[in-house]
Amino acid sequence: MSEELVYGLHAVQALLKSSPQQVQQLMLLRGRRDQRLQKILAQAEKNGIAVTFVDRRVLDDRVGDEGNHQGAVAVCAAQTRVYDERFLQELLEQLDGRGEPPFLLVLDGVTDPHNLGACLRSAEAAGVHAVIAPKDKSAGLTPTARKVACGAAEVLPFVTVTNLARALQKLQQAGVWIFGAAGEAEHDIYQSQLTGPLALVMGAEGSGLRRLTREHCDHLIKIPMAGEVSSLNVSVATGVCLFEAVRQRGAGS
């Protein structure tokens, strides 16, 4: 059976909290006894998960060049749950039944797993219901993306779709307004109404939104830039746009 790794203190702790049944083995750094690692150990013991204490070299070898494990690596069964268009439709129906307007993030061709992880982290913190991305030419939930997401990847649905333009069309048919971020847009995010059923679409690093994606947006918006730099990193821009939407939607008030 195939397996995958989840590593980093936040990611492992979130996995143990949300889906402990996926963990086959937990490897922790021998000799480390700080409070954060002790919390992970307590969660593992509570759920009857085997814990192995190993030297740093062993953890380094398992993770390879992908990132910093911070002394915690979980060996998991490969993810079997697939979030697809059907799940998205069910989610919209559930939200409608609760009278809760959808709040979605769409990533159009974000290929850097570090950026994907950072976007997931911001989206989860902002209260987004799901993140949507195309299956092709897009970063998946690699161990690096999970690590950067700091636990968000374990609790926030990541929906992959075969045809992004078609998925946007279905969202529109369900009453969701599509706002695409584009540098050449006439209106900025602070002039735009980001309340109600909303899907925020962010483009790929460098190239931005694809033509078909752009054509399926109801509105194009931009982040006003005062300096000499013409654009922001996609994960930074995503955070700015999401939390302007949060402000307008009255979250946390």
Side-chain angles (χ1 to χ4, degrees):
M1 182 172 62
S2 59
E3 64 181 31
E4 65 179 29
L5 300 180
V6 175
Y7 56 83
L9 295 173
H10 288 292
V12 171
Q13 192 167 2
L15 178 66
L16 291 173
K17 184 177 180 180
S18 64
S19 304
Q21 72 280 359
Q22 293 181 4
V23 182
Q24 299 174 325
Q25 182 188 17
L26 178 61
M27 294 184 289
L28 300 179
L29 180 62
R30 180 182 288 120
R32 179 169 179 173
R33 303 189 182 279
D34 58 89
Q35 187 176 6
R36 297 173 74 187
L37 213 65
Q38 290 302 313
K39 287 182 179 179
I40 290 176
L41 181 59
Q43 283 182 301
E45 292 176 345
K46 178 182 177 181
N47 289 287
I49 296 170
V51 178
T52 305
F53 293 94
V54 297
D55 295 332
R56 181 175 296 276
R57 176 181 53 79
V58 176
L59 297 178
D60 290 344
D61 289 343
R62 289 306 300 265
V63 172
D65 298 328
E66 292 195 27
N68 178 16
H69 51 71
Q70 298 177 307
V73 176
V75 181
C76 308
Q79 294 285 343
T80 57
R81 178 70 190 272
V82 177
Y83 293 105
D84 54 14
E85 284 99 333
R86 180 177 298 180
F87 167 84
L88 194 56
Q89 183 60 41
E90 293 172 354
L91 174 64
L92 292 174
E93 292 173 359
Q94 292 171 7
L95 293 172
D96 184 59
R98 300 201 301 259
E100 187 175 352
F103 186 20
L104 306 169
L105 173 64
V106 181
L107 300 176
D108 183 22
V110 174
T111 56
D112 186 331
H114 293 87
N115 280 336
L116 172 61
C119 288
L120 289 171
R121 184 176 182 179
S122 294
E124 199 280 329
V128 165
H129 295 113
V131 175
I132 304 166
K135 287 182 180 179
D136 298 328
K137 297 180 180 179
S138 180
L141 287 181
T142 64
T144 297
R146 290 179 180 275
K147 165 68 169 57
V148 176
C150 290
E154 281 64 53
V155 295
L156 179 62
F158 181 66
V159 180
T160 57
V161 298
T162 304
N163 187 312
L164 185 59
R166 184 178 61 200
L168 294 177
Q169 210 167 22
K170 288 184 177 180
L171 289 177
Q172 289 170 321
Q173 292 168 359
V176 178
W177 290 91
I178 313 296
F179 282 77
E184 74 278 9
E186 293 184 7
H187 300 286
D188 67 46
I189 59 172
Y190 307 111
Q191 299 169 323
S192 306
Q193 186 174 342
L194 304 178
T195 56
L198 170 68
L200 176 66
V201 189
M202 306 300 297
E205 304 93 344
S207 57
L209 299 177
R210 291 178 295 174
R211 180 184 59 82
L212 268 179
T213 303
R214 186 186 303 261
E215 291 176 358
H216 282 82
C217 292
D218 296 302
H219 303 283
L220 294 179
I221 56 176
K222 65 182 179 182
I223 299 172
M225 306 288 290
E228 296 296 326
V229 177
S230 60
S231 65
L232 297 174
N233 173 278
V234 64
S235 64
V236 175
T238 296
V240 171
C241 293
L242 285 177
F243 279 93
E244 171 56 18
V246 169
R247 184 191 68 81
Q248 291 189 23
R249 297 162 82 87
S253 60

